[in-house]
Structures are given as structure tokens and as C-alpha cells.
Amino acid sequence: MSRALRAAALAAAALLGWLAVAHAVSFEVKDGNSTCIKAELSASFFIMYSTSNGTNTVNVQLPSSAVVDSGSSCGSSGVSPELLASFGDGHSLGLVFSKDDRLYRVLNLSLTYNLNDSTYFPQSSKKEIVTLDTNATGISAQLNTTYRCLSSSSIRLGGSNVTITFSGVRMEAYMPSANLSSKESVCSADLHATTVAPTQSPTTAPTPPAPRNPERGNYNVTNVNGTVCLLANMGLQLNVTYFSKSQNKTVKGIVNLQPNRTSFTGLCEATTATLVLMDGLTNLSFAFMLNVTSKKYHLSALNVSAAWPDMTAPFTVGNSSLNYLQGTLGRSYMCTTEQILPVTNTFSLNTFSLQVQPFGVTGNKFGTAEECQMDKDNMLIPIIVGAALAGLVLIVLIAYLIGRKRSHAGYQTI
Ligand SMILES: *[C@@H]1O[C@H](CO)[C@@H](O)[C@H](O)[C@H]1NC(C)=O
Ligand SMILES: *[C@@H]1O[C@H](CO)[C@@H](O)[C@H](O)[C@H]1NC(C)=O
Ligand SMILES: *[C@@H]1O[C@H](CO)[C@@H](O)[C@H](O)[C@H]1NC(C)=O
Ligand SMILES: *[C@@H]1O[C@H](CO)[C@@H](O)[C@H](O)[C@H]1NC(C)=O
Ligand SMILES: *[C@@H]1O[C@H](CO)[C@@H](O)[C@H](O)[C@H]1NC(C)=O
Ligand SMILES: *[C@@H]1O[C@H](CO)[C@@H](O)[C@H](O)[C@H]1NC(C)=O
Ligand SMILES: *[C@@H]1O[C@H](CO)[C@@H](O)[C@H](O)[C@H]1NC(C)=O
Ligand SMILES: *[C@@H]1O[C@H](CO)[C@@H](O)[C@H](O)[C@H]1NC(C)=O
Ligand SMILES: *[C@@H]1O[C@H](CO)[C@@H](O)[C@H](O)[C@H]1NC(C)=O
Ligand SMILES: *[C@@H]1O[C@H](CO)[C@@H](O)[C@H](O)[C@H]1NC(C)=O
């Protein structure tokens, strides 16, 4: 590794580390006097739930008030060690560990949330406690080392539309002493941190000039039965007005979503379809609505949440009364030209080379494209120019013919 690359990697890691400190919550599980699990982490939960008039998406941050629940344990024969962190009104995050002679891992990651809690789930139509889990966590480390993953990584809970995003993680189970081991097992995302130039990251203070056009990402939502129900190919750029810590004033942050590190999820229902994109500390959710009578769909809601380190507070805004990207059921909506979609007075979304189809997708591919007016206008320009040129040629020709006739007539008079 070159010296410059190593320096960049360290800078990125330091940045991520600082980030982690900003929101990290610490937990310690003890059995009598001996500590068996210690964890420092930030987590956010993307949860979709039903309301009387559709689906709503929330991004809940694990609050610093979260505590180690009495359900936690260091384990015993036949019982695995568990960290259960409870927060708010009946919510909890659970990590069950297992080990072999070399490695320990998170065997089961679970989230319990209480839809009765209207502070997190306003207007929820169901009033129940939901528990979801997965055993595909990808979290493992060598025994007697600290698992370190400062980069953010998202884990989807078993076949659901709930995603947990961890960042700034330092933790250890089966601890040989009361302190985190100094030796670390670094997750692969952190090892690849060198490929993410810090200047391109939305985790740096976005300052003008605006970045170049965003890359186009392909985001598909799949049904429970495995068929694609929503297709979206688009480049996205966020325009966020927020108060900058470093500049001590309100600034406009122009940030591109980077497809290769954006994870996505979604949900398709009869008349609503949702797409959620997560790029590090930026979450963006789209809700589309279908009018069954008119067989027309449109983008009805956009929500964004961002927790960039230069912000004094996380930025969360949305608007559920939008009417953008209107198309016909079974067809796709296309707009190659850049579109600016104002959402609130502090947030707008710029789309580039967009093609979406939120309903009536057949055979995993886009239906006939309906082009936006701007594309049609752009198509008109060459036609108008062509017509104008043809007209000009005609005028010149007529003028020439008339002129020739006149001069011909002139000869005859002489
Ligand atoms: C825990 O530590 C305290 C003081 O350090 C000691 O008095 C107590 O006996 C210890 N308890 C156990 C179960 O080791
Ligand atoms: C749902 O309906 C309630 C009242 O019935 C309204 O206050 C709320 O804004 C609606 N939400 C959406 C997303 O349309
Ligand atoms: C995972 O943990 C949750 C909560 O402790 C539990 O309800 C669930 O049964 C566990 N799943 C598996 C596969 O062990
Ligand atoms: C971990 O540390 C404990 C106590 O220091 C030791 O007994 C054990 O052999 C170590 N295990 C590994 C895999 O290094
Ligand atoms: C998959 O499920 C959707 C509705 O959820 C249904 O319309 C479609 O026919 C199903 N496809 C298959 C192949 O079962
Ligand atoms: C960002 O939004 C502001 C309005 O809030 C607008 O003046 C500015 O041109 C936008 N910038 C870009 C690059 O879209
Ligand atoms: C930020 O700006 C305000 C007024 O514009 C000033 O009072 C304050 O001292 C500044 N803070 C810093 C840290 O520069
Ligand atoms: C993501 O894309 C950028 C720009 O194309 C590239 O420089 C970077 O290496 C990619 N990162 C990963 C992890 O693939
Ligand atoms: C659906 O479209 C029909 C016909 O254009 C219109 O009358 C009706 O109000 C629309 N329904 C909704 C919920 O927007
Ligand atoms: C939401 O969008 C609508 C339509 O573009 C707009 O009239 C309204 O002011 C927006 N609401 C907020 C809170 O910005």
C-alpha cells in the first residue's frame, strides 16, 4: 500500500471513528464481577408500518438512553450469551453470540418494536409488538479480539422490510478481561475504506462547487414470491439546506447518492409501493401510489434523513402530498433530462437519467416508456432547428429563382 493511500485510509478511518463517537451507545453485560460482552455502536432502524392510508417509513436511531436489559446474560451451558438493549416504550435490540474454538459470531440479531408507541410510529393502524430476527448477520471475529466495523453496514431482518444499519461498532463477547482486547478483527467494509475517497463521501462537509452528475443506480424491489415488482434506474442528487458546524452558517449541501454503496429495500402492495435507499448516513424513501380507477400512478411521498457529521442535528424532512413522476399502470416513466423535485423548502431531489416503474412490472423488465415533457421538448429542438434550416434553404432558393428571373427579364429589356 502506498504511503498516500495509507494516509487516506487513516483519514477516512479517523473520520468514521469520529462519526462513530458522535452517536455511539455503550453497553456492558456482566456476570457478577466479570464482564463478558462489551459493545460500543450506533444503530438505526428503518421500519415500514401500515397506517390507515398507506405505509409509512420511519428511521429510528438507537438512543443514547438505551440500557442493558435484564434479559441479557453471559450464558451458561446450553444458553448463549446475549446482549439485549432496551429503549423507549418497549423496544429492544438483541444480539445472541456463539463461538467455536477460533471465532465468535452474532448468531441471532433481533429487533422488537412496539407499534403502540406513537412517538416512533405515528398513526400506526396495528397496535402490536413485533419481533423480527435474522441469523445472517455477517458479524464474526477471532476470539480474544475486538470486532471493529466503523463503516456503516445494513442488515435486513428475515424477509421483512426492516433494516438495521450499524456503524461505529467496537464490540467483543467471551471477553478474557474487563477491557476490550487491543487486538482487532476488522470487518471487510473497513478494510475497503481505502477505495472510498473521503472527499467523495457524504460524510464530509459538502461544499460548492456541486459535484458532477451522479452515477445511475439500479434499484429493484422484489415480491415475497421472488418476482420484481418495482424497477428504478436513476442517478440521484440531494440538495439539503442545513446549518453547518464547520462554517457556522446555513449552507446548501449538494450530495450524490453513490450506487455502489447504496443498499435498498422496499415493499409492493396493491396501491402503494415503497423504495428505501440507504447510503451511509443518508436514507431516502420513495412512496408511489396507484389510482386503480384511472390506472395512473405517481410519486406521492419522499422522505429523507441524513446525519452528516457537519450537521448540528440529524436532518429529517418529508412530504406526503407530492405528485411527481406520473405514469400509466404497466408502463414506465422516463426522464433522461435532469429534473428538480422540490420536496420541502430545505430539501429537493435532483434526478438524472431516470426510469421507474412502481406497478405492473412483468418479466422483470420495464414496460413501454412514457417520456417526460422535458425529454419531449428536448426532442423538439432538433426538429425545430431542422425545420427552420429547411425553411431558410427554401427562402434562399426562392429568392435566387426570383432574382434569376428578374435579371433574365433585365437582359430582355436591354
Ligand atoms: C466482586 O468484587 C467485590 C469487590 O471488588 C468483592 O467484594 C466481591 O466478592 C466480588 N464478587 C464476586 C462474585 O466475585
Ligand atoms: C393519513 O390520514 C390522516 C388523517 O386521516 C392525515 O392526518 C395524514 O396526513 C394522512 N397521511 C398521509 C401520508 O396521507
Ligand atoms: C433470535 O432471538 C429472538 C429474540 O431473543 C428470538 O425470539 C428468536 O427465536 C431467535 N431466533 C433464533 C433463530 O434463535
Ligand atoms: C483467549 O484468552 C483466554 C484467556 O486469556 C485463553 O485461555 C484462551 O486460550 C484464548 N483463546 C484463544 C483462541 O486465543
Ligand atoms: C407473485 O405475487 C404477486 C402478488 O404479490 C402476484 O401478482 C403474482 O402473480 C405472483 N407471481 C407468481 C409467479 O406467483
Ligand atoms: C439547491 O436548492 C436551492 C434552493 O433551495 C437552489 O437555489 C439551488 O440552485 C439548488 N442547487 C442545485 C445544485 O440543485
Ligand atoms: C457563529 O456565528 C455567530 C453569529 O454569526 C457568532 O456569534 C458565533 O460566535 C460563531 N461561532 C463560532 C464557533 O464561530
Ligand atoms: C464505487 O464507485 C466509485 C466511482 O465509480 C469507484 O471509484 C469506487 O471504487 C467504487 N467503490 C466500490 C467499493 O466499488
Ligand atoms: C382516481 O382517478 C379518478 C379519475 O381520474 C378520480 O376521479 C379520483 O379522484 C382519483 N382517486 C384518487 C384517490 O385520487
Ligand atoms: C409538499 O409538497 C407540496 C406540493 O409540491 C407543496 O405544496 C407543499 O408546500 C409541500 N409541503 C411542505 C411541508 O413543504
Side-chain angles (χ1 to χ4, degrees), residues 15-33:
L15 191 72
L16 289 164
W18 177 80
L19 248 185
V21 172
H23 308 275
V25 192
S26 300
F27 304 101
E28 183 171 0
V29 180
K30 286 176 143 189
D31 185 6
N33 283 353

Side-chain angles (χ1 to χ4, degrees), residues 335-354:
C335 205
T336 311
T337 317
E338 177 186 354
Q339 284 187 110
I340 296 171
L341 311 180
V343 178
T344 66
N345 55 3
T346 54
F347 171 59
S348 59
L349 183 69
N350 302 337
T351 72
F352 297 77
S353 304
L354 171 142

Side-chain angles (χ1 to χ4, degrees), residues 34 140 162 186 230 249 378 402:
S34 65
S140 69
V162 171
V186 177
L230 181 154
K249 63 172 188 195
N378 285 353
I402 290 172

